[in-house]
Amino acid sequence: MSESEPTTPPAPADFIRDIVAEDLQSGKHPLSVTRFPPEPNGYLHIGHAKSICLNFGIARETHGRCNLRMDDTNPTKEEVEYVESIQADVDWLIGGWADDRLGRKVPGDVSGSAVLPSEASGRTLEPFFASDYFEQMLALAVELIRRGKAYVCDLNPEEMSEYRGVPERPGKPSPWRERSVEENLDLFERMRKGEFPDGTRTLRSRIDMASPNIHLRDPALYRIRHATHHRTGDRWCLYPMYDYAHPISDYLEGITHSICTLEFEIHRPFYDWVLQSLNLPRTLPRQIEFARLSLGYTVMSKRKLLLLVEEGLVSGWDDPRMPTLSGLRRRGVRPEALRAFAAAIGVTKYNGLTEVSVFESCIRDDLNLVALRRLAVLRPIKVVLTNIAEGETHWFDAVNNPSNPELGTRKIAFTRELWIDSDDFMEVPPPKYFRLRPGGEVRLKYACIIRCDEVVKDAAGEVVELRCTADLETRSGGANAAKKVKGTIHWVSAAHAIRAEVRLYDRLFTEEAPEADGRDFKSVLNPESAHTITALLEPTLAEARQTDRFQFERVGYFTLDVPYSPTGVAPTSVPLIFNRTLGLKDSWAKEMAKK
Ligand code: ATP
Ligand code: MG
């Protein structure tokens, strides 16, 4: 099954989808246009996936449009590497799912009506860039000055914050607030030309220094920053503030519903002020806030993830333990699971911690249907079947996925020497141990029942070999096929098995809320979160492809390790390394229950 097969169930209704439906029905907007606007200052994480699924999902369900927009107005933190990874990740998450029209580049303009997507571009999402609007943003800022709604302020950042004051008491107006329009226009032009050093002047809105909402006390529109931008180079030394750039970008792209997380609720009056102050001809976008995703046993802000990368606490942004989309993909999580997760958690107005088990069960539900069953022995112990001759080989049929017959069957070799997992043998087992023991019987999956006759140890007393007898009559179709034993274990033929590196990943943190009580999240990193072992696998796994998902029977879900590459194309020869996506059951729940 391909990575992008559209198997995601429709998302249930929520308050945002209701608003969009109402606005379309009332004719307020002929088409819904949403956007996903990441700042290219890091890789996308699972929180972004919630926003992507919401924004692109709405466009998909209402036959509207959704723009991927790089919110690149802060030159010092942004990089081309991040732009590329964001594009690759969004494409991966919604590429095969979204309507073809989504994300096609549409030219924005200040006066005209929203332009429909052109037919020209390809399937890959073409991002928009806020930096493409710098010229228009500047023109609109000049317009605000002309209307007496913006002024150049000479206060430095500390003074500005002191004048702004606290919500309980009115702030103090800047001494520069009453500058004439002419003087403001002149100074603003000189700021643009680079006449003043960083931090010496700002362009500020002129709203209300007494507002109880601190974000309406003349917030800055532009700051001076002599910095090289990853796209516009050294063309600008004046950059728009996020709160100004955002509504303008939304308007220019004809966005109808600007969906963001709850912490922006208090910024909404300013968002509306910017657009309303400009007397713009088109229907204005509406900002709507929803609760951000917080997930147990991880941290999610890009700043913190960057720290983990920079301090070498993980192998990179795509480390399979990271909550980044590139990490999750490398770990074997499919976009279908992320989209099902987004649908499962829904969209609300209340911030809370989502249990990681909810996410894990979405991953298991998805993988269970597509994963190819394979036999793999992670910690091998040798079994010698004394009644099978050397060179004698039996071929048994094995189903690739019991819940999906279309995935077919394969043949597996059964020979005199096998490997089983050392966990599946105990010399002195506790009660109710149904796996192999001296004198005991067990069924080998897809093959037959064996009996352990003799335990061979080395000089140090370590078990090195189990000498057993195979009862071939108990194989499928044999005279004794119906014979029952309590345990069934996995195995591989020693003559056929291949060796490969297997990486066993676990949660990155030992605490559900790594930052609770002001704790440093780095102090609760899980030291057991990554183990590398050499395993013995059935030989079909030598042909594993990037898109395949596997269930190593009785062990867990695994995938070929494919590090992130900006082109999305795997290197031609990938070394045979398998990453554990997750175990078959929620073993942590059991651990917790024991406590
Ligand atoms: P971070 O704190 O991780 O840097 P951010 O909000 O600064 O996140 P942006 O790149 O600005 O990151 O976010 C792009 C979009 O993704 C925004 O619309 C934001 O609301 C949304 N988003 C970011 N984090 C989450 C989250 N945890 N849950 C839901 N949406 C999120
Ligand atoms: Mg941000």
Side-chain angles (χ1 to χ4, degrees):
M1 194 172 283
S2 86
E3 290 240 40
S4 54
E5 205 147 299
T7 54
T8 311
D14 54 61
F15 76 99
I16 297 182
R17 286 178 164 89
D18 289 347
I19 294 172
V20 174
E22 236 173 76
D23 288 349
L24 291 173
Q25 208 169 18
S26 72
K28 181 179 176 193
H29 302 291
L31 184 81
S32 74
V33 187
T34 52
R35 86 284 172 270
F36 170 66
E39 184 182 357
N41 61 350
Y43 281 57
L44 297 182
H45 51 63
I46 187 171
H48 293 114
K50 177 178 181 181
S51 175
I52 295 168
C53 291
L54 176 61
N55 282 294
F56 281 92
I58 287 173
R60 179 175 187 260
E61 292 145 22
T62 62
H63 306 288
R65 199 150 56 72
C66 180
N67 294 346
L68 166 61
R69 181 199 310 146
M70 303 295 167
D71 211 329
D72 55 349
T73 55
N74 188 1
T76 52
K77 295 207 171 129
E78 298 158 2
E79 286 174 30
V80 174
E81 176 195 347
Y82 299 140
V83 171
E84 285 175 352
S85 75
I86 289 171
Q87 212 175 332
D89 287 349
V90 175
D91 219 20
W92 172 75
L93 183 55
I94 54 100
W97 175 59
D99 188 293
D100 265 358
R101 298 196 316 167
L102 300 182
R104 291 234 176 128
K105 194 147 188 168
V106 183
D109 71 300
V110 185
S111 54
S113 57
V115 189
L116 278 172
S118 76
E119 295 305 311
S121 57
R123 193 183 176 86
T124 304
L125 290 164
E126 275 187 61
F128 293 71
F129 292 87
S131 56
D132 283 348
Y133 314 136
F134 281 170
E135 215 56 82
Q136 285 151 299
M137 288 175 190
L138 192 85
L140 292 171
V142 167
E143 184 57 30
L144 286 174
I145 296 175
R146 289 216 173 91
R147 291 170 183 242
K149 289 176 183 290
Y151 62 97
V152 173
C153 180
D154 300 0
L155 295 182
N156 65 33
E158 295 74 40
E159 292 165 331
M160 235 172 108
S161 136
E162 189 194 314
Y163 277 64
R164 197 182 299 119
V166 291
E168 299 75 43
R169 284 188 304 277
K172 223 169 37 169
S174 158
W176 315 102
R177 202 169 194 258
E178 303 306 328
R179 272 178 166 147
S180 70
V181 168
E182 288 66 38
E183 192 185 355
N184 281 321
L185 287 173
D186 173 61
L187 283 171
F188 189 51
E189 173 60 12
R190 288 167 59 198
M191 282 165 69
R192 189 192 62 76
K193 282 188 182 152
E195 287 187 21
F196 311 115
D198 289 5
T200 53
R201 287 190 162 86
T202 52
L203 182 72
R204 291 179 73 175
S205 55
R206 199 162 178 277
I207 311 180
D208 178 6
M209 287 308 289
S211 171
N213 181 346
I214 216 115
H215 298 282
L216 286 179
R217 293 187 184 174
D218 294 7
L221 303 171
Y222 273 90
R223 63 198 185 287
I224 301 172
R225 187 150 299 174
H226 293 264
T228 306
H229 185 279
H230 68 101
R231 289 187 85 235
T232 59
D234 294 325
R235 187 134 50 90
W236 299 90
C237 61
L238 190 61
Y239 289 93
M241 303 299 291
Y242 172 86
D243 274 349
Y244 172 69
H246 207 80
I248 304 289
S249 305
D250 281 349
Y251 181 78
L252 293 176
E253 289 176 13
I255 302 301
T256 56
H257 299 88
S258 179
I259 302 166
C260 58
T261 42
L262 282 177
E263 63 279 16
F264 287 98
E265 191 164 15
I266 196 162
H267 299 242
R268 192 188 335 132
F270 182 65
Y271 180 99
D272 292 338
W273 179 91
V274 169
L275 296 175
Q276 284 162 6
S277 299
L278 286 163
N279 265 5
L280 297 162
R282 266 177 4 225
T283 313
L284 301 181
R286 169 173 175 188
Q287 177 180 309
I288 310 168
E289 307 85 18
F290 72 105
R292 64 169 46 234
L293 171 70
S294 310
L295 191 63
Y297 295 99
T298 192
V299 294
M300 227 177 276
S301 121
K302 280 180 281 188
R303 193 176 49 77
K304 291 168 198 155
L305 298 176
L306 179 63
L307 265 181
L308 294 175
V309 173
E310 283 179 343
E311 295 189 13
L313 298 166
V314 293
S315 66
W317 286 98
D318 68 340
D319 185 301
R321 295 165 295 175
M322 290 279 269
T324 52
L325 298 188
S326 51
L328 293 168
R329 176 171 61 226
R330 186 168 178 187
R331 185 147 176 174
V333 175
R334 302 196 322 146
E336 286 82 349
L338 279 159
R339 300 196 305 250
F341 175 60
I345 56 177
V347 177
T348 69
K349 276 243 172 223
Y350 307 98
N351 281 324
L353 187 71
T354 299
E355 282 185 30
V356 71
S357 59
V358 178
F359 182 42
E360 291 178 347
S361 77
C362 290
I363 301 172
R364 287 193 186 95
D365 288 350
D366 175 57
L367 291 179
N368 184 41
L369 294 177
V370 296
L372 299 168
R373 274 36 172 188
R374 292 292 181 260
L375 297 180
V377 173
L378 299 196
R379 292 173 186 89
I381 175 170
K382 176 75 72 68
V383 165
V384 177
L385 300 171
T386 49
N387 62 332
I388 305 277
E390 261 176 61
E392 180 182 341
T393 308
H394 299 268
W395 292 93
F396 294 120
D397 280 326
V399 285
N400 288 328
N401 186 318
S403 46
N404 187 353
E406 277 177 29
L407 293 175
T409 61
R410 66 193 187 285
K411 297 265 184 214
I412 45 179
F414 178 83
T415 54
R416 178 178 164 88
E417 294 199 357
L418 312 175
W419 297 106
I420 67 167
D421 244 306
S422 56
D423 284 354
D424 287 332
F425 170 79
M426 277 185 98
E427 202 172 5
V428 188
K432 298 203 175 163
Y433 183 86
F434 299 127
R435 291 166 275 169
L436 202 56
R437 65 171 81 195
E441 286 185 323
V442 76
R443 180 172 282 279
L444 297 180
K445 183 107 199 207
Y446 305 118
C448 60
I449 294 172
I450 60 167
R451 191 188 61 236
C452 178
D453 305 315
E454 188 190 342
V455 178
V456 182
K457 296 182 183 175
D458 62 13
E462 286 292 314
V463 176
V464 289
E465 188 178 299
L466 305 172
R467 298 180 72 80
C468 304
T469 329
D471 180 359
L472 281 168
E473 288 309 326
T474 59
R475 69 180 154 183
S476 167
N480 238 341
K483 178 169 174 184
K484 293 252 182 309
V485 285
K486 285 218 166 122
T488 300
I489 64 172
H490 58 279
W491 55 280
V492 289
S493 157
H496 297 81
I498 55 166
R499 262 171 217 281
E501 185 174 322
V502 169
R503 296 179 181 167
L504 303 173
Y505 291 111
D506 206 334
R507 294 170 187 174
L508 192 49
F509 295 95
T510 53
E511 294 292 328
E512 183 173 31
E515 293 170 287
D517 315 320
R519 176 173 52 209
D520 175 8
F521 64 94
K522 286 183 290 176
S523 68
V524 287
L525 278 166
N526 178 5
E528 303 292 318
S529 62
H531 280 293
T532 296
I533 57 171
T534 300
L536 289 156
L537 317 174
E538 67 166 82
T540 53
L541 283 164
E543 285 129 51
R545 294 164 309 165
Q546 184 176 4
T547 50
D548 288 335
R549 296 294 181 274
F550 301 103
Q551 185 194 104
F552 292 179
E553 297 208 40
R554 301 181 60 242
V555 178
Y557 290 105
F558 290 79
T559 194
L560 197 61
D561 178 63
V562 184
Y564 166 76
S565 120
T567 58
V569 178
T572 39
S573 75
V574 183
L576 210 53
I577 300 171
F578 291 90
N579 293 333
R580 180 168 71 190
T581 313
L582 75 182
L584 293 182
K585 292 199 197 85
D586 187 354
S587 56
W588 280 61
K590 266 191 255 159
E591 294 289 316
M592 300 310 273
K594 270 192 244 160
K595 278 185 188 170

